Amino acid sequence: MNERIIRGRHEPAVVGDRRGRLDRPLKLAVGPKTATALEKLGPTTTGELLRYYPRRYGDRGRLTTLRELRVGEHVTVIAQVASSAVRPMRNKRGAILTATITDGRDHLTLTFFGKSAGTLSFHERRLRPGITGMFTGTVGEYRGTLQLTHPDYEPFEDLDEEFAAVQKVDWPVPIYPAGASIPSWRIATAVSTVLSAQGEQDVPEPLPAAYRRDHGLVGVLQALHWIHEPHSMSDVRRAQDRMKHEEAFVLQTALAQRRAAMRARPTTARPLRMGGIREAFESRLPFELTAGQREVGAVIADEIAEPVPMQRLLQGEVGSGKTVVALRAMLQVVDAGGQAALLAPTEVLASQHLRTVTELLGPLAEAGMLGGAEHATRVALLTGSQSAPARRKALASAASGEAGIVIGTHALLSENVQFADLGLVVIDEQHRFGVEQRDALRGKAQGTPHLLVMTATPIPRTVAMTSFGDLETSTLSELPAGRAGIETVVVPAGKPAWVERVWQRIREEVDDGGRAYVVCPRITATETEQGEEMVEDPDLLDDLPFTDDLIATGGLVDAAPRAAGPPRPPLASVEDVAALLRQVPALDGVTIGEMHGQLPTDAKDAAMAAFAAGTAPVLVSTTVIEVGVDVPAATVMVILDADRFGLSQLHQLRGRIGRGTKPGVCLAVTTAQKDSRAMARVQAFAGTTDGFRLAELDLQMRKEGDVLGAAQAGRGSSLRLLSVIKDVDIITAARAGARDLVERDPALVTEPDLAEVLAASIDEETAEYLQRF
Ligand code: ADP
Ligand code: MG
């Protein structure tokens, strides 16, 4: 992966010796004790410490903060000692020192334990009543009183110190993500030591001067000073703005280089050919293409007709007809003498694609067979679970070029899969694959094949620009005409009559020739679907604020532990619900199928087939049916514990119904309380069928970290302040600037500092980050 990103990037022309200064081990800069404590939090070098930003900013001297203390919070307060006393412990050996500090209005207790009164005399001397100081600790509670146990503290020994503190009264106090090993103010002192040693030339400036000028951004050293030692919140905001631009610019430069490196590779042009399979296919299509399908189709047709590799992301609402768009592109390549591969995330989906494609192609997929068309090709299927002879046959037809289209799962990526002339790679439902897999498949071609990535999870523009920054984007927003639409109803699980009505509704639908999905969050009472990202406590998730909100507003980051609510009923599982439905009188005589990811492949296929054919018209399933499954007769979907799924996921699930001409009904059953945020989310889902709107809402309801993944939390992550959710303007500007720069100067000869920062950071971090998508 790293290699791939680096390839195409040239070594920076100049690397000064400045890096040495920012790469100093902390123990040389701030002493071994502090360094060890800091290392526990992440930073190990001076450069890393400077990028260890305050999590929020507090008010220093306004002695009102005692009022705001909350149990469990790690805090720093300035207050005056009102009283202190040492006494022996009541039931044990040892002594206890209790001091009360005050800001003039509220009080807080400090507690120190010692083996004897003597061991506490150090504290007793320093905590004389009347002394003012700065106290740091985690707020605890003892018999209803808030207290700090063994706080770190610094008494102001003389007036100078106190005066200095008072003078800074209006300056925001940086509050660092601190730990038990080192309090925030000690981090601030260490940062200040390191920062004051840096000159203008010591810190690399990755933002080009022209870009900074255009966007009114301060230089890197100024920004570091303002972020760590601000005199006002407007300093903080300007510094953060600049740092966000930097983060965006560095990432976008890496993406632009990746894109440029790809575009520079040789590719075979696959121009449209008249009188070929594609044309024959179009004349036998049973429906009119939508305007969107035609438009996107034309863009793709032009791109694959060029000797520059297409790199396109096609996002389309569930059911918008992406498969046909992809198939037309694949046939253009086949007409031009090449092959196309279609990679699907699950076996169910791969088999379904095979069925759809062979059906749509008819005799056009029967080359060399009796009844095959004059211009025709073959379609091969490659999956992990197929029999050895079937696999050998598929491998042979891919390698010989006999199969113009090869459809498969991950099995397509394995080493023994070879193509005669792979010209186009289509990846369905991209969110299930990483960049690495994308590249693995492209690596099977002599040149670089064209790439079409399809996703039904609408990706908000900013995320598309960040996660798929090396791809161009097209969108299919309209649904084919004649869809009857879906109605969604929220069903409170607490009302038995309503739930009865749900089963009744399924019965009616089945009697009318329809099919019903019943979706559960679990397989068994204890087992979840693998890779499932379930919301463990939906209300808690909703309550977590955004990181950058916190930085901007100085809010609290440590979510207070929530009081335990009433115990929740166990979550619905496929096993239990299937057993239940077999007993429900309303469904008497209806065969209930079961489906989840842990079933063997043939059992999955059998369940899907029985469902499609109508012999088992009710399918109890986990979210394995979420992706792309197309059973037009399915009209009802019941989602149990709907509040446990993310909004986008709910939307994906719902997209499985209402694919025919009969209207669909989605019943979202939930135990969420009436005015809870979990309920609000389910209601938002019921309120719109616009996938893009829901994707935006989903993002707003998630934590930033969930979007960016682990890379965000990791040490030395390159995205600290930038919010892919909110900083749309910054990401847009950085993308334009970075593309422009890379086009003019792909090796970044004119921007040695940027090259240096990229070389240092992109390899591990962004590569890891990119890989996630
Ligand atoms: P998705 O974009 O979710 O992958 P599909 O490609 O599976 O959607 O298409 C959904 C259904 O719509 C399929 O049954 C497909 O044959 C049908 N379809 C595609 N395009 C059209 C169209 N222009 N008119 C009518 N039906 C269409
Ligand atoms: Mg699809």
Side-chain angles (χ1 to χ4, degrees):
M1 180 69 211
N2 293 357
E3 263 176 39
R4 203 166 303 113
I5 291 224
I6 293 164
R7 207 186 300 152
R9 190 182 71 219
H10 309 256
E11 280 308 305
V14 193
V15 175
D17 55 0
R18 292 169 309 199
R19 259 183 88 181
R21 293 201 61 173
L22 273 184
D23 272 354
R24 275 185 85 194
L26 277 179
K27 64 174 184 293
L28 300 181
V30 297
K33 224 179 123 208
T34 307
T36 309
L38 283 170
E39 278 165 18
K40 287 198 182 117
L41 298 174
T44 61
T45 64
T46 48
E48 285 168 11
L49 183 62
L50 292 183
R51 301 295 175 149
Y52 192 73
Y53 300 144
R55 179 161 66 189
R56 62 189 170 103
Y57 296 84
D59 282 325
R60 190 184 306 262
R62 275 216 329 260
L63 301 181
T64 55
T65 45
L66 289 185
R67 175 138 298 191
E68 297 157 9
L69 296 182
R70 281 206 240 145
V71 173
E73 214 188 333
H74 198 75
V75 295
T76 299
V77 296
I78 293 178
Q80 193 175 46
V81 179
S83 65
S84 77
V86 177
R87 57 180 166 74
M89 300 267 277
R90 236 168 259 150
N91 306 321
K92 296 179 246 179
R93 286 162 51 110
I96 181 167
L97 182 154
T98 324
T100 303
I101 58 171
T102 180
D103 55 14
R105 194 168 70 178
D106 296 286
H107 292 78
L108 177 67
T109 304
L110 311 180
T111 311
F112 298 83
F113 299 98
K115 284 208 184 79
S116 65
T119 57
L120 291 170
S121 61
F122 168 75
H123 292 304
E124 202 182 359
R125 275 198 309 277
R126 293 177 85 203
L127 293 170
R128 289 185 309 278
I131 281 274
T132 301
M134 183 135 85
F135 303 86
T136 301
T138 302
V139 181
E141 195 177 329
Y142 182 68
R143 297 199 171 159
T145 308
L146 294 186
Q147 64 171 18
L148 301 180
T149 306
H150 288 263
D152 249 297
Y153 65 97
E154 197 182 31
F156 301 135
E157 291 294 347
D158 53 38
L159 272 180
D160 274 355
E161 276 186 35
E162 185 164 357
F163 184 67
V166 170
Q167 223 191 6
K168 293 183 193 166
V169 129
D170 293 331
W171 298 0
V173 184
I175 298 179
Y176 292 88
S181 61
I182 183 165
S184 174
W185 63 269
R186 283 225 177 115
I187 300 175
T189 311
V191 170
S192 162
T193 307
V194 170
L195 194 50
S196 61
Q198 308 301 326
E200 206 59 69
Q201 292 308 304
D202 297 327
V203 189
E205 171 58 88
L207 283 178
Y211 184 86
R212 273 190 288 136
R213 203 172 46 242
D214 289 350
H215 298 279
L217 306 175
V218 296
V220 63
L221 191 60
Q222 177 69 79
L224 286 171
H225 275 284
W226 279 352
I227 225 161
H228 292 292
E229 300 170 340
H231 291 191
S232 71
M233 282 311 289
S234 89
D235 287 356
V236 172
R237 278 187 289 273
R238 288 196 66 189
Q240 287 177 339
D241 187 47
R242 182 239 130 78
M243 291 308 187
K244 285 181 180 186
H245 272 279
E246 178 182 314
E247 289 172 10
F249 200 90
V250 170
L251 180 58
Q252 291 297 334
T253 304
L255 289 166
Q257 284 185 319
R258 191 187 143 86
R259 174 173 176 268
M262 275 293 179
R263 290 178 63 84
R265 295 197 197 170
T267 303
T268 311
R270 315 278 181 175
L272 273 176
R273 194 163 63 85
M274 293 304 125
I277 306 177
R278 174 168 158 144
E279 219 175 72
F281 164 76
E282 275 159 15
S283 62
R284 52 169 278 136
L285 258 183
F287 44 71
E288 286 277 301
L289 293 174
T290 64
Q293 283 172 321
R294 274 198 305 272
E295 256 164 55
V296 173
V299 170
I300 294 173
D302 284 350
E303 280 186 341
I304 56 187
E306 295 294 320
V308 175
M310 172 173 77
Q311 301 183 80
R312 187 160 287 279
L313 173 71
L314 172 58
Q315 44 179 349
E317 197 41 280
V318 188
S320 58
K322 294 182 290 293
T323 316
V324 172
V325 172
L327 191 50
R328 292 173 79 211
M330 293 194 272
L331 293 175
Q332 176 174 343
V333 170
V334 173
D335 278 339
Q339 292 168 288
L342 171 57
L343 181 61
T346 63
E347 301 214 343
V348 171
L349 206 56
S351 323
Q352 180 189 293
H353 275 317
L354 178 74
R355 267 199 309 277
T356 314
V357 168
T358 43
E359 225 162 79
L360 284 172
L361 286 175
L364 296 171
E366 296 171 357
M369 296 202 281
L370 208 61
E374 187 192 344
H375 295 294
T377 185
R378 289 283 189 96
V379 182
L381 177 73
L382 257 170
T383 68
S385 66
Q386 68 194 149
S387 69
R391 183 176 172 79
R392 262 198 305 279
K393 199 166 152 245
L395 284 174
S397 71
S400 68
E402 183 197 19
I405 295 176
V406 182
I407 297 173
T409 56
H410 286 81
L412 271 182
L413 306 175
S414 86
E415 261 167 37
N416 56 9
V417 179
Q418 284 173 3
F419 292 87
D421 181 12
L422 182 59
L424 169 67
V425 168
V426 179
I427 300 185
D428 197 14
E429 313 296 350
Q430 154 81 11
H431 58 297
R432 304 271 163 133
F433 295 103
V435 168
E436 193 158 63
Q437 289 162 321
R438 211 207 256 175
D439 287 351
L441 192 49
R442 288 181 103 180
K444 292 184 179 296
Q446 265 81 46
T448 301
H450 299 286
L451 173 70
L452 179 65
V453 170
M454 304 197 291
T455 172
T457 306
I459 300 163
R461 217 162 63 88
T462 39
V463 179
M465 280 190 295
T466 324
S467 323
F468 300 103
D470 55 340
L471 305 181
E472 311 301 319
T473 310
S474 305
T475 304
L476 277 184
S477 44
E478 81 193 292
L479 295 183
R483 296 278 167 81
I486 303 172
E487 188 198 359
T488 304
V489 180
V490 180
V491 181
K495 303 196 172 164
W498 288 49
V499 178
E500 264 317 299
R501 178 75 193 110
V502 168
W503 309 139
Q504 189 60 45
R505 190 77 183 71
I506 291 183
R507 178 71 201 219
E508 287 161 18
E509 216 58 34
V510 168
D511 286 348
D512 203 25
R515 315 267 188 282
Y517 294 104
V518 180
V519 182
C520 309
R522 289 181 182 275
I523 299 173
T524 67
T526 54
E527 224 164 337
T528 322
E529 191 72 75
Q530 235 195 356
E532 192 69 60
E533 282 173 50
M534 243 176 30
V535 180
E536 270 311 326
D537 180 346
D539 270 338
L540 183 55
L541 178 130
D542 285 351
D543 284 348
L544 289 171
F546 295 115
T547 358
D548 58 346
D549 264 353
L550 296 162
I551 290 160
T553 61
L556 297 173
V557 109
D558 307 312
R562 290 165 50 87
R568 282 174 174 276
L571 293 180
S573 72
V574 172
E575 258 180 20
D576 294 351
V577 171
L580 171 79
L581 293 189
R582 291 184 184 119
Q583 306 292 320
V584 168
L587 294 174
D588 209 22
V590 176
T591 308
I592 313 284
E594 284 176 53
M595 172 84 143
H596 57 76
Q598 291 183 8
L599 290 176
T601 308
D602 44 351
K604 275 190 244 174
D605 286 347
M608 243 10 253
F611 181 67
T615 49
V618 176
L619 187 64
V620 184
S621 173
T622 58
T623 54
V624 285
I625 53 134
E626 173 194 342
V627 174
V629 172
D630 193 18
V631 177
T635 43
V636 179
M637 172 170 289
V638 178
I639 305 177
L640 297 173
D641 291 313
D643 52 298
R644 293 299 165 129
F645 301 99
L647 276 176
S648 290
Q649 201 177 18
L650 287 170
H651 184 61
Q652 283 290 301
L653 284 166
R654 179 170 58 182
R656 302 303 115 220
I657 56 168
R659 294 170 83 89
T661 45
K662 278 209 280 178
V665 180
C666 177
L667 302 165
V669 182
T670 174
T671 56
Q673 299 298 309
K674 192 156 157 273
D675 291 316
S676 66
R677 301 185 61 175
M679 180 58 98
R681 199 174 53 219
V682 179
Q683 274 162 347
F685 161 65
T688 178
T689 50
D690 180 340
F692 280 87
R693 174 91 196 95
L694 285 171
E696 297 279 357
L697 280 173
D698 201 22
L699 271 182
Q700 285 165 20
M701 289 182 175
R702 276 159 176 256
K703 270 188 306 173
E704 185 83 9
D706 289 346
V707 183
L708 288 180
Q712 166 89 346
R715 176 175 81 81
S717 153
S718 51
L719 297 188
R720 284 148 217 241
L721 297 174
L722 189 70
S723 161
V724 293
I725 298 169
K726 296 183 174 177
D727 293 322
V728 55
D729 295 347
I730 292 176
I731 294 172
T732 310
R735 169 150 141 141
R739 282 198 170 183
D740 192 47
L741 171 65
V742 169
E743 226 155 80
R744 271 184 289 114
D745 177 11
L748 305 178
V749 180
T750 55
E751 295 294 338
D753 281 14
L754 176 59
E756 180 187 323
V757 169
L758 269 170
S761 70
I762 285 302
D763 305 348
E764 315 124 43
E765 297 149 19
T766 306
E768 189 185 315
Y769 166 64
L770 287 172
Q771 221 168 340
R772 290 182 42 82
F773 293 91

